[in-house]
Each structure stands twice: as C-alpha cells, then as structure tokens.
Amino acid sequence: MGFLIRTVITAVAFYIAANLVSGLYFPSLTNLIIAAIVFGVVNALIRPIVATLSLPLTVLTLGLFTLVINALMLALTALLMPGMRITSFGTAFIAAIIIWVVSWIANKLVGERTVQPVG
C-alpha cells in the first residue's frame, strides 16, 4: 500500500513539475504514472549505488551534490521512459527540486504509517 501511495505522490509531483518547468514533457497521463513507477525503481536500485560512490563529493559540497544526483536519477528515468522528455540538465535539476519539494510536502501531509504492536 505504501508503494502505491508513494507512486501517486510522485505522479502528482511529476504533473506539477511538468506544468511549472518548460522542458519536461509527458505525452499522456498513463505515461506519467508509468514514469513515476520507473522513477521509484530507479531511486530504489540505482540511486543508492550512485550516492555511495559519490559520497566524498557529497561531503565536500556539504550535501549539495545530492541535488545533482536527484537530477541524474530524473534524467535516467527520462532515458528509460519512451515519450518522457527532458530538454537539458538544467531542466532536470529544477524539475528534481520541484519533485522533491512536492513529494516532501505530500508525504508530510499523508504521514508515515507505523505498525502498532499487538497486545
């Protein structure tokens, strides 16, 4: 259930970013939802490896390189998704920031579900 909620939040964030940033395009709503799923998979499988390999650079920039990693994961998603288009790295960078902010706000509003002990 958590994956479904996060996917919907990411899809909404993609929609908002596509409307705010010229240069980020999704041909259809279906493509946008599939891109949200692919983005989740990319962030789950590839982002940890990239983040680990770039740890010295992230420490050196006091964490700001994380923004570049987010933009790279969005660009990779666009490469894997037919129809999704990002015109430049600057577009990916700004869109990644917008997606992060929208996702953060939505996750705070939805809240984290915790498992209550039985008994």
Side-chain angles (χ1 to χ4, degrees):
M1 187 66 165
F3 178 76
L4 181 63
I5 292 170
R6 281 190 298 275
T7 300
V8 169
I9 289 171
T10 303
V12 169
F14 277 178
Y15 179 78
I16 292 170
N19 285 316
L20 292 176
V21 179
S22 63
L24 174 62
Y25 302 102
F26 296 94
S28 68
L29 183 63
T30 304
N31 192 281
L32 189 130
I33 293 169
I34 294 170
I37 294 169
V38 170
F39 188 67
V41 171
V42 165
N43 276 330
L45 298 178
I46 297 170
R47 188 174 194 274
I49 296 166
V50 173
T52 302
L53 292 174
S54 66
L55 189 59
L57 193 54
T58 302
V59 170
L60 187 65
T61 61
L62 303 175
L64 291 177
F65 192 71
T66 305
L67 298 173
V68 174
I69 294 171
N70 290 344
L72 290 172
M73 295 304 106
L74 185 60
L76 180 59
T77 301
L79 287 174
L80 296 172
M81 277 301 305
M84 180 180 173
R85 202 173 57 152
I86 297 177
T87 57
S88 69
F89 182 76
T91 299
F93 189 80
I94 300 297
I97 292 172
I98 292 170
I99 291 165
W100 173 76
V101 169
V102 171
S103 297
W104 181 77
I105 291 169
N107 282 318
K108 288 296 176 187
L109 291 174
V110 170
E112 294 294 322
R113 304 221 191 274
T114 57
V115 178
Q116 299 294 327
V118 178

